[in-house]
């Protein structure tokens, strides 16, 4: 299905509020059992002062409204969040395809182990689980999983540290 007035573009400073709001709505909907390490206002400030001005941030918009966001940091797909109302429309896939185009040598990302839909999504896009942790290295202290995508290469989970 083609979405009318759909655009993916680099974020500019004035997008920071909308990007933060997509992140907040998505995190709340997708991860209700995960303790957030920061308040809503801290998240908004982080996007406004750090992420959008300092990292490669992309927005997906429909009719001018931000419905998705993605942040690339080096070879890391650092953030990928969609407004919950827009799940299942192919927007996340378009953002992952863009990330792969921008980082053709490969990508890595972390997601929480409890986030089964995200895990299925990334696996369906060729990402392979390579490491699991107990969450001691993330601010939420939530068990997580590291995925990598390399063109034509896969690393089995059996080689991962637990």
């Amino acid at each position: 299905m083609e979405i009318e007035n759909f655009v993916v573009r680099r974020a500019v400073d004035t997008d920071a509020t909308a990007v933060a709001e997509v992140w907040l709505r998505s995190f709340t909907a997708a991860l209700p059992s995960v303790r957030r390490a920061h308040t809503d206002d801290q998240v908004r400030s982080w996007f406004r002062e750090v992420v959008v001005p300092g990292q490669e941030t992309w927005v997906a918009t429909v009719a001018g409204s931000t419905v998705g966001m993605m942040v690339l940091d080096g070879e890391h797909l650092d953030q990928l969040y969609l407004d919950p109302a827009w799940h299942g429309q192919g927007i996340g896939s378009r953002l992952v395809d863009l990330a792969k185009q921008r980082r053709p040598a490969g990508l890595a990302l972390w997601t929480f182990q409890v986030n089964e839909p995200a895990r299925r999504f990334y696996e369906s896009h060729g990402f392979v689980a390579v490491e699991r942790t107990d969450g001691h290295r993330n601010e939420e202290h939530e068990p997580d999983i590291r995925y990598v995508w390399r063109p034509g290469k896969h690393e089995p989970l059996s080689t991962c540290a637990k």
Side-chain angles (χ1 to χ4, degrees):
M1 174 175 100
E2 186 66 28
I3 301 170
E4 291 187 33
N5 300 313
F6 176 74
V7 175
V8 175
R9 62 173 173 76
R10 283 293 292 268
V12 296
D13 290 346
T14 56
D15 291 314
T17 299
V19 167
E21 294 305 320
V22 166
W23 189 98
L24 288 165
R25 284 191 302 275
S26 181
F27 193 101
T28 298
L31 301 165
S33 67
V34 175
R35 179 190 74 83
R36 286 216 347 247
H38 301 283
T39 67
D40 289 3
D41 285 341
Q42 288 170 327
V43 169
R44 289 179 186 108
S45 176
W46 177 61
F47 276 104
R48 183 179 61 252
E49 297 172 15
V50 177
V51 177
V52 172
Q55 295 181 316
E56 185 179 340
T57 306
W58 293 82
V59 293
T61 66
V62 175
S65 295
T66 301
V67 299
M69 54 80 69
M70 175 179 74
V71 178
L72 298 172
D73 184 12
E75 75 164 18
H76 289 93
L77 177 48
D78 196 46
Q79 307 282 331
L80 177 61
Y81 288 89
L82 299 179
D83 186 295
W86 289 90
H87 283 206
Q89 304 294 314
I91 295 169
S93 294
R94 303 253 313 252
L95 290 170
V96 167
D97 290 346
L98 174 63
K100 288 177 177 181
Q101 290 170 8
R102 304 278 307 159
R103 303 296 189 272
L107 291 162
L109 63 88
W110 288 93
T111 193
F112 296 121
Q113 291 183 30
V114 72
N115 196 347
E116 289 285 341
R119 292 172 56 192
R120 284 191 304 273
F121 173 80
Y122 291 123
E123 290 167 6
S124 75
H125 286 84
F127 286 82
V128 177
V130 297
E131 180 181 5
R132 293 177 187 265
T133 79
D134 62 6
H136 70 278
R137 293 183 293 195
N138 65 56
E139 292 179 309
E140 295 81 5
H141 304 291
E142 181 73 27
D144 54 7
I145 202 164
R146 182 173 180 261
Y147 282 92
V148 297
W149 168 79
R150 301 277 184 253
K153 298 180 183 176
H154 298 287
E155 301 175 43
L157 182 59
S158 62
T159 64
C160 300
K162 292 248 178 194

